[in-house]
Amino acid sequence: MFLSAVFNGITLGGLYFLVASGFTLIFGLMRNVNLAHGSLYLFGGYIGLAVSVATGSWLLSFVAAFIVVALVGIAMQILVFRRIEGQDLRQTMVTIGLSIVFADLMLWAFGGDFYQIQTPHALLGPIGLPFVTAVKSSGEAVYLQYPMVRLAILAASLVIGVAMWLALNRTRVGMIVRAGVDDRDILAAMGVPIQLVFVLVFALGAGLAGMAGVVGATFQSISPGEDIRFLLASLVVVIIGGMGSIPGAALGALIVGLAEQLGSVYIPTYAIVVTFLIMVLVLAVRPQGLLAGR
Amino acid sequence: MSITQDARLQPEPVAATTLNGLAGADFGQPAVWVVAFLLVIMPLIANGFFLIEIFGTTLILGIVALSLMFLAGYGGMVSLMQLTIAGLAGYMTAVLGASGNANISLGWPWWLATPVALALATLFGTVGGALAVRTAGIYTIMITLAIASAFYYFTNQNWVIFNGHTGINSVVTPHFWGVDWRADIPFYYVILAVAALCYGAVSYLSRAPFGLALQGIRDNPRRMAALGFNVNAHRVAAYAFASFLAGLGGVLQVWNYRQISPGSVGVERAIDILIIAIVGGITRPIGPFIGALIFVLLRTFTLDFLVAVGLDGNRFRLLIGLGFLIIVLFSPDGIVGLWERWRNRNEAGSAQPGGERHG
């Protein structure tokens, strides 16, 4: 019971990390609290669903969701946010307006039903893990059975997390992005095409949210309202981990995922309170978040 | 960067009129007296549906949005948890008072349940505010949004106090001195009186030393701190006052619908309050009420209107979202700002008659 809750918590944390890393990246560089991020997640889920129904390919749905949602992100950055650059509050308000519009458009297009993306056959079924959960009377050990697809998702989010960390810390583009997080005015003055960097980062963040949508649609389900759920998760994750920090998003996602799963196992009606209390505690002790640089 | 630098982005210093807007100028204008008179005699004009469903609801939403306007306009703190505070007050009114869910409601008389509910809501809002002021500016939105959505999911999950997603039904409303205060006409006057008091309180506070200090903190917290003002104490006090206002709105809300459920405190509702305040305009206390009137009219009549012009009647939220986007993108100070700019242009054109509106 405990072990399985811990595993569920870690995989849920992986999903939260996928959503929140894009959110925190966009905020860190552009100071734009993208409250439409949950909508991008849900939109990615619907795109993935449509593609996987049409082609039957799970992997293709990831690619499609990433590209389409990244294009939406590019359009948002170029058409809307560039016009009101530097006005944090207005940008945030605009994202709220966009999230309302997106939510209603998606409700219009896809209806209010629950959807789930078919798990591919290769990942179907449980797998035995080398963790002993019980010992039978005959002395034979019972190993923890765990859905293969969740492990795949966990592995994928680990790979993406490490790749992002490497890209940010070991490449030239990553250096530009980090410099932009610290001081984008000086960066622009150095002759870096900062608008292009903004567009790319927004596309990446949005694309990650879209991919996370496919993941969420596979191992949970998607329906109207999920956008707000994942927006809340992203908010809490980055508040706990620290705004603009990728390792912070990873730590925050792990904490929130574990708290949610353990909470829902042991104190079902107060599970959300646990998550919330952690956020309060972090705010009280370290208002800038656990791993924030500044 | 302060929030209101963003929120009030007008080239001319129109904002100067905000400070003593109500005091000298507005009461001298006949339009204000006409509106006040119309509101008082409204029961003679409007029937039950319009009286409560349109004007009553407008005033209630206006009160909650007014609390946001006070925080955002004068304090520079955009709080998305005002509806949550109102919802808590409503829930507490239902839980402490009497309702159809006898296993949950404690059955206290209204004169005891209401003040306790208001006190709890104020306490909740103050604690939430104390958390929110630990960070500044744009983080406030995130933290208060997190509080609002956490409260929504909590009410959904919790059956002991909040009765899960069914909520609490058949809430008993006050009935004393031989008057059923939830009957349309008395209830309208109760709402009107509370709304007028809240409006007056916000207008008064905006010119009182506390309100002026708050506006100073909004514009330049560091300078105010250097002058010896306790910045965070002022901010938390602003949250406390705004929470009380929101709580009043919440109590009226639960009396109005006689029931409350997680749907009434959902994130969408919380964002509606923000939309109302921003669309109306957060530079003046009248803004939220104008915004609320537009919102309620849209919500009530969009379906008929859209069907009449041959479109899908369910696209109310799309319309609201688009309208909000347009206002945010093109007139950050809302309808009130549009109107003020229009009037200023007219006055400049006609060689400033009277000169009464200088700031």
Side-chain angles (χ1 to χ4, degrees), chain A residues 33 51 63 67 70 72 89 108 124 151 153 176 182 218 261 265:
Chain A
V33 177
V51 170
V63 179
I67 292 174
V72 173
L89 187 81
W108 197 358
L124 219 51
L151 288 183
I153 285 160
I176 290 174
D182 285 342
T218 307
Q261 287 300 323
V265 168

Side-chain angles (χ1 to χ4, degrees), chain A residues 220-245:
Chain A
Q220 296 181 336
S221 63
I222 47 171
S223 63
E226 289 294 287
D227 50 348
I228 289 173
R229 207 190 118 208
F230 276 85
L231 175 64
L232 168 70
S234 308
L235 283 176
V236 176
V237 163
V238 297
I239 290 173
I240 289 178
M243 292 295 286
S245 152

Side-chain angles (χ1 to χ4, degrees), chain A residues 86-90 92-94 96-97 100 104 108 229 232 235 243 269-270 272-273 280 283-284 287, chain B residues 1 3 6 9 134 138-139 142 145 149 153-154 157-158 271 274-275 278 315 317-318 324-325 328-329:
Chain A
Q87 303 168 29
D88 309 359
L89 187 81
R90 260 176 95 191
T92 307
M93 299 279 182
V94 167
I96 290 178
I100 296 170
D104 203 60
W108 197 358
R229 207 190 118 208
L232 168 70
L235 283 176
M243 292 295 286
T269 62
Y270 294 95
I272 190 81
V273 179
V280 170
L283 278 175
Chain B
M1 170 174 286
I3 276 185
D6 301 318
L9 233 144
R134 292 189 60 82
I138 205 150
Y139 296 87
M142 301 180 51
L145 180 60
S149 33
Y153 286 111
F154 182 57
Q157 286 176 357
N158 186 287
I271 288 176
L274 177 76
I275 292 176
I278 298 287
R315 297 280 77 84
R317 294 204 67 80
L318 190 63
F324 177 68
L325 268 181
V328 172
L329 285 172

Side-chain angles (χ1 to χ4, degrees), chain B residues 46-125:
Chain B
N47 62 14
F49 170 77
F50 271 88
L51 198 60
I52 297 300
E53 291 298 320
I54 303 292
F55 292 104
T57 314
T58 294
L59 289 172
I60 292 172
L61 284 175
I63 293 169
V64 181
L66 181 68
S67 76
L68 170 59
M69 176 270 144
F70 177 77
L71 280 177
Y74 297 136
M77 299 171 287
V78 179
S79 156
L80 285 176
M81 65 174 180
Q82 296 312 112
L83 184 86
T84 305
I85 296 164
L88 184 77
Y91 261 116
M92 286 302 121
T93 309
V95 169
L96 300 174
S99 79
N101 300 67
N103 55 331
I104 285 175
S105 291
L106 300 177
W108 294 4
W110 71 271
W111 50 263
L112 186 59
T114 310
V116 175
L118 284 174
L120 285 172
T122 310
L123 183 70
F124 175 77

Side-chain angles (χ1 to χ4, degrees), chain B residues 8-342:
Chain B
R8 302 206 273 154
L9 233 144
Q10 57 268 77
E12 312 97 277
V14 181
T17 55
T18 309
L19 274 184
N20 45 10
L22 181 93
D26 277 3
F27 279 120
Q29 291 195 346
V32 175
W33 289 105
V34 171
V35 171
F37 180 69
L38 277 179
L39 281 173
V40 170
I41 63 157
M42 192 58 77
L44 296 177
I45 310 169
N47 62 14
F49 170 77
F50 271 88
L51 198 60
I52 297 300
E53 291 298 320
I54 303 292
F55 292 104
T57 314
T58 294
L59 289 172
I60 292 172
L61 284 175
I63 293 169
V64 181
L66 181 68
S67 76
L68 170 59
M69 176 270 144
F70 177 77
L71 280 177
Y74 297 136
M77 299 171 287
V78 179
S79 156
L80 285 176
M81 65 174 180
Q82 296 312 112
L83 184 86
T84 305
I85 296 164
L88 184 77
Y91 261 116
M92 286 302 121
T93 309
V95 169
L96 300 174
S99 79
N101 300 67
N103 55 331
I104 285 175
S105 291
L106 300 177
W108 294 4
W110 71 271
W111 50 263
L112 186 59
T114 310
V116 175
L118 284 174
L120 285 172
T122 310
L123 183 70
F124 175 77
T126 312
V127 172
L131 272 179
V133 300
R134 292 189 60 82
T135 57
I138 205 150
Y139 296 87
T140 310
I141 285 194
M142 301 180 51
I143 290 166
T144 50
L145 180 60
I147 291 175
S149 33
F151 184 76
Y152 165 69
Y153 286 111
F154 182 57
T155 54
N156 240 330
Q157 286 176 357
N158 186 287
W159 292 83
V160 184
I161 307 169
F162 296 101
N163 203 25
H165 62 80
T166 46
I168 299 171
N169 298 306
S170 318
V171 176
V172 175
T173 51
H175 202 290
F176 59 99
W177 296 338
V179 180
D180 175 8
W181 290 95
R182 180 54 188 82
D184 284 350
I185 292 177
F187 189 52
Y188 173 76
Y189 280 116
V190 169
I191 300 173
L192 187 62
V194 174
L197 279 177
C198 292
Y199 180 80
V202 170
S203 307
Y204 170 76
L205 262 190
S206 71
R207 288 168 292 114
F210 170 70
L212 292 176
L214 195 63
Q215 291 168 62
I217 287 168
R218 170 197 70 197
D219 293 335
N220 195 333
R222 294 179 66 185
R223 185 182 293 173
M224 291 303 279
L227 286 172
F229 287 90
N230 187 336
V231 169
N232 272 358
H234 275 78
R235 285 179 171 157
V236 174
Y239 268 106
F241 174 69
S243 307
F244 184 73
L245 292 189
L248 284 173
V251 171
L252 291 175
Q253 181 96 313
V254 79
W255 283 347
N256 184 13
Y257 295 126
R258 294 200 188 88
Q259 64 92 30
I260 188 161
S261 63
S264 343
V265 296
V267 175
E268 285 180 354
R269 299 281 159 284
I271 288 176
D272 285 347
I273 296 296
L274 177 76
I275 292 176
I276 288 171
I278 298 287
V279 167
I282 56 167
T283 53
R284 285 161 154 271
I286 194 66
F289 291 102
I290 296 174
L293 183 62
I294 296 170
F295 182 84
V296 171
L297 287 176
L298 269 180
R299 187 175 67 184
T300 315
F301 297 111
T302 305
L303 200 144
D304 297 334
F305 173 75
L306 284 181
V307 171
V309 296
L311 291 167
D312 187 347
N314 293 323
R315 297 280 77 84
F316 157 70
R317 294 204 67 80
L318 190 63
L319 208 65
I320 287 284
L322 287 175
F324 177 68
L325 268 181
I326 289 169
I327 288 281
V328 172
L329 285 172
F330 298 107
S331 174
D333 43 4
I335 305 275
V336 170
L338 275 181
W339 178 66
E340 269 175 357
R341 274 198 295 273
W342 177 77

